[in-house]
């Protein structure tokens, strides 16, 4: 596998930069780059906070599992009222012997239990909890990649719509000047009234498109603010020209990204973690068939002494210590199905790992081809810009010389505006598709 390292993915500069009119007129906030927005999102995104809390919980569960290795120690005490102590020497229906005891009693003592052996279940439970904690870390990493990708999509949507706004604003200003020129030509009888009307209709359509883009800008800002964990209506501005550093393979191809995915992808690591967990679970279930051994000790003070004959109204103490063995015979016929179920779960985890592997192959291939397509689209869009620019220039001159129709000029201007939109869209797609590829392989 080729070594991958960080290289600058600077993006392709726009050929036709309109001034960032929307940002200049409406924003007071400090412009943020994508990297700065990523940092804010990593600290404040609610999904990431929830994933981090789940990870913290899994760490605490490891400590809880370790606590089960410690001896069980308890103290107990009671206060009680005693009834008469009657002994029926000659049967239930004979006159009983009334043994004099106190009307009340109390006791205090302790119990100690130390697990010596239970098939390794407690220690294995710690290993299982550690594997669960590892999986939670992979889930957190996957969530980070997802949030960064979704944030990048929202960021470049806003970036794209801001440029669309500027293109439309500049086109409206140019169209207003053109309308005044055509009105002047109409007054002099050089053009028809229909040319004035057609230009007015186009101007209205441009203003409607500008209103639509303005709403999309506000929606994109709200989405970006939510991903950053901020208030929906918080002031937000982004940098017009953004150069970001991304992890990429220098001179790499599809196979290099595949190799990285199977070493770095959190999604693939998660299914492999599931396999390890299921194998540990099989061993844990089988351990129920093994005997248990524990060391125990207890000592109690009681008053009065009514447990052994002869009875007495004196305080007495008694304790025991020893080793206890326990073997559940019912597990011999109950545990087989439990083991079989655990084995099926393990087989399912292995199949899911193979399915995830196929899925990653497909996702990487799709993202890689989308990136190649985006680069080709940029190249094509740049050529279309050059062609439509020249077309507009030629038709505008011929129209002013009354050698072509206004409809030809309007169509050429619309084609140029659409070409600008396509170029901006293609340029943002290059960034987004590359970020998606890095998120899939796990190096974003």
């Amino acid at each position: 596998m080729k070594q991958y390292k960080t290289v600058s993915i600077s993006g392709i500069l726009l050929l036709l930069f309109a001034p960032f009119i929307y940002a200049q007129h409406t924003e007071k906030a400090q412009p943020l780059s994508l990297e700065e927005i990523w940092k804010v999102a990593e600290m404040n995104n609610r999904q990431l906070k929830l994933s981090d809390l789940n990870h913290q919980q899994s760490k605490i569960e490891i400590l809880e599992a370790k606590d089960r290795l410690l001896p069980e120690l308890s103290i107990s005490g009671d206060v009680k009222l005693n009834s008469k102590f009657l002994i029926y020497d000659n049967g239930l229906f004979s006159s009983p012997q009334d043994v004099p005891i106190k009307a009340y009693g109390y006791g205090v003592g302790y119990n100690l239990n130390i697990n010596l052996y239970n098939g390794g279940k407690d220690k294995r439970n710690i290993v299982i909890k550690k594997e669960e904690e590892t999986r939670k870390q992979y889930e957190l990493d996957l969530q980070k990649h997802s949030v960064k990708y979704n944030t990048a999509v929202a960021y470049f949507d806003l970036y794209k719509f801001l440029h669309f706004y500027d293109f439309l604003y500049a086109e409206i200003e140019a169209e207003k000047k053109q309308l005044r020129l055509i009105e002047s030509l109409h007054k002099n009888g050089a053009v028809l009234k229909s040319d004035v009307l057609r230009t007015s209709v186009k101007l209205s359509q441009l203003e409607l498109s500008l209103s639509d883009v303005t709403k999309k800008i506000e929606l994109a800002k709200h989405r970006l603010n939510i991903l950053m964990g901020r208030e929906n209506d918080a002031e937000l501005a982004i940098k017009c020209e953004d150069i970001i550093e991304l992890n990429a393979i220098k001179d790499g191809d599809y196979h290099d990204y595949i190799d990285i995915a199977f070493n770095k992808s959190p999604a693939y690591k998660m299914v492999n973690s599931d396999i390890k967990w299921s194998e540990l679970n099989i061993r844990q279930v089988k351990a129920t068939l093994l005997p248990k051994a524990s060391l125990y000790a207890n000592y109690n003070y009681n008053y009065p002494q009514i447990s052994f004959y002869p009875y007495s109204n004196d305080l007495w103490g008694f304790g025991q210590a020893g080793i206890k063995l326990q073997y559940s015979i019912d597990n011999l016929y109950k545990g087989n199905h439990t083991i079989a179920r655990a084995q099926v779960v393990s087989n399912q985890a292995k199949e899911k790992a193979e399915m995830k592997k196929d899925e990653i192959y497909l996702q990487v291939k799709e993202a890689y081809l989308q990136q190649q397509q985006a680069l080709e689209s940029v190249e094509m869009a740049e050529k279309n810009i050059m062609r439509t620019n020249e077309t507009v220039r030629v038709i505008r001159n011929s129209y002013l010389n009354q050698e072509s129709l206004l409809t030809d000029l309007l169509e050429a201007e619309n084609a140029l505006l659409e070409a600008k939109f396509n170029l901006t869209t293609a340029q943002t797609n290059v960034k987004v598709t590359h970020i998606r590829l890095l998120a899939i392989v796990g190096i974003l």
Side-chain angles (χ1 to χ4, degrees):
M1 183 184 70
K2 295 183 181 179
Q3 181 67 27
Y4 66 93
K5 57 183 180 179
T6 301
V7 297
S8 176
I9 306 295
S10 60
I12 304 169
L13 294 177
L14 291 173
L15 294 178
L16 298 174
F17 272 120
F20 232 36
I21 301 167
Y22 186 93
Q24 293 173 356
H25 288 180
T26 63
E27 295 298 343
K28 299 178 182 178
Q30 179 69 27
L32 300 175
S33 67
L34 178 58
E35 287 184 332
E36 291 170 334
I37 288 176
W38 274 346
K39 291 178 181 178
V40 175
E42 286 184 3
M43 291 187 296
N44 301 321
N45 181 268
R46 291 180 175 83
Q47 290 178 331
L48 288 182
K49 286 182 177 180
L50 180 59
S51 295
D52 186 59
L53 288 173
N54 291 335
H55 185 222
Q56 293 179 30
Q57 177 183 337
S58 65
K59 289 183 176 181
I60 296 174
E61 288 175 354
I62 294 175
L63 299 177
E64 287 181 333
K66 290 181 178 180
D67 289 342
R68 295 190 182 98
L69 294 177
L70 300 175
E72 297 178 7
L73 178 62
S74 63
I75 58 174
S76 60
D78 61 12
V79 177
K80 48 191 174 285
L81 294 176
N82 296 323
S83 68
K84 288 184 178 182
F85 199 111
L86 303 177
I87 300 178
Y88 294 85
D89 306 71
N90 300 314
L92 179 62
F93 298 103
S94 63
S95 297
Q97 176 186 355
D98 188 359
V99 178
I101 62 170
K102 291 292 186 180
Y104 64 91
Y106 58 83
V108 63
Y110 79 90
N111 287 281
L112 174 67
N113 188 77
I114 302 174
N115 176 46
L116 299 178
Y117 178 76
N118 66 345
K121 291 180 65 176
D122 289 341
K123 291 183 178 179
R124 193 176 298 110
N125 188 51
I126 295 174
V127 178
I128 289 175
K129 293 300 180 182
K130 286 182 178 179
E131 191 61 44
E132 291 176 354
E133 187 270 335
T134 300
R135 193 185 193 282
K136 292 294 184 182
Q137 179 62 59
Y138 295 152
E139 289 180 2
L140 179 59
D141 293 340
L142 182 64
Q143 191 66 52
K144 285 181 180 179
H145 291 318
S146 177
V147 168
K148 289 180 75 173
Y149 170 68
N150 291 332
T151 303
V153 171
Y155 178 90
F156 285 112
D157 276 346
L158 178 57
Y159 178 92
K160 177 176 62 177
F161 291 139
L162 287 173
H163 280 84
F164 284 2
Y165 183 97
D166 290 342
F167 292 149
L168 287 167
Y169 187 92
E171 186 72 11
I172 288 172
E173 293 301 312
E175 201 63 33
K176 287 179 179 178
K177 294 179 180 178
Q178 184 165 274
L179 178 59
R180 288 194 292 269
L181 174 61
I182 293 175
E183 287 175 340
S184 176
L185 293 175
H186 172 65
K187 289 179 181 180
N188 295 328
V191 297
L192 299 176
K193 177 68 173 178
S194 60
D195 288 358
V196 177
L197 296 176
R198 287 192 184 97
T199 306
S200 299
V201 169
K202 179 188 175 181
L203 186 59
S204 298
Q205 291 174 339
L206 289 173
E207 290 173 344
L208 182 61
S209 297
L210 186 67
S211 175
D212 180 60
V213 168
T214 302
K215 293 179 177 63
K216 289 180 178 178
I217 288 174
E218 294 306 313
L219 182 60
K221 286 182 178 180
H222 283 197
R223 184 178 294 111
L224 202 52
N225 277 327
I226 290 174
L227 289 168
M228 294 167 64
R230 306 200 309 176
E231 295 294 330
N232 295 349
D233 55 353
E235 290 291 335
L236 176 64
I238 64 172
K239 293 184 178 179
C240 176
E241 300 178 44
D242 194 7
I243 299 177
I244 59 176
E245 296 292 330
L246 297 174
N247 294 320
I249 303 174
K250 193 172 184 179
D251 301 324
D253 59 11
Y254 160 72
H255 298 287
D256 295 311
Y257 285 106
I258 286 291
D259 291 339
I260 294 174
F262 292 141
N263 285 280
K264 297 290 185 179
S265 169
Y268 190 62
K269 289 179 179 180
M270 284 168 58
V271 293
N272 285 327
S273 177
D274 289 339
I275 293 175
K276 294 179 182 178
W277 183 92
S278 65
E279 291 174 346
L280 288 168
N281 187 54
I282 292 175
R283 296 172 60 189
Q284 194 76 327
V285 172
K286 288 181 177 179
T288 59
L289 302 178
L290 300 176
K292 300 177 183 178
S294 61
L295 175 66
Y296 73 94
N298 59 72
Y299 198 90
N300 294 276
Y301 288 102
N302 291 278
Y303 177 85
Q305 192 286 109
I306 54 175
S307 297
F308 303 100
Y309 188 83
Y311 308 109
S312 170
N313 286 328
D314 298 323
L315 179 68
W316 66 287
F318 178 76
Q320 291 178 318
I323 296 177
K324 180 171 62 176
L325 295 176
Q326 181 181 358
Y327 184 75
S328 299
I329 298 177
D330 61 308
N331 282 335
L332 291 175
Y333 54 87
K334 287 183 178 179
N336 291 333
H337 292 156
T338 305
I339 294 173
R341 181 177 62 83
Q343 186 64 57
V344 170
V345 171
S346 180
N347 293 336
Q348 289 175 341
K350 292 175 182 177
E351 288 299 322
K352 288 179 181 179
E354 291 301 317
M355 291 170 61
K356 177 58 68 174
K357 192 173 183 179
D358 294 337
E359 182 182 339
I360 289 175
Y361 269 116
L362 183 59
Q363 287 180 338
V364 172
K365 186 69 172 180
E366 180 184 23
Y368 185 79
L369 292 177
Q370 286 177 346
Q371 179 180 273
Q372 300 305 310
Q373 182 64 38
L375 291 170
E376 293 174 7
S377 298
V378 169
E379 184 179 355
M380 181 61 67
E382 289 173 343
K383 293 179 180 178
N384 287 339
I385 286 284
M386 297 174 62
R387 293 168 184 160
T388 52
N389 258 324
E390 181 62 18
T391 300
V392 169
R393 187 189 66 80
V394 171
I395 295 179
R396 180 175 286 118
N397 290 335
S398 63
Y399 173 75
L400 295 177
N401 293 327
Q402 298 183 350
E403 295 175 355
S404 64
L405 300 176
L406 177 64
T407 53
D408 296 333
L409 176 59
L410 296 181
E411 288 178 1
E413 290 174 344
N414 289 336
L416 177 59
L417 182 61
E418 184 178 356
K420 293 177 182 179
F421 287 169
N422 291 340
L423 178 57
T424 303
T425 300
Q427 289 169 337
T428 56
N429 283 344
V430 170
K431 293 273 191 157
V432 171
T433 54
H434 186 70
I435 289 173
R436 178 171 181 259
L437 181 58
L438 298 184
I440 291 171
V441 301
I443 57 174
L444 180 58

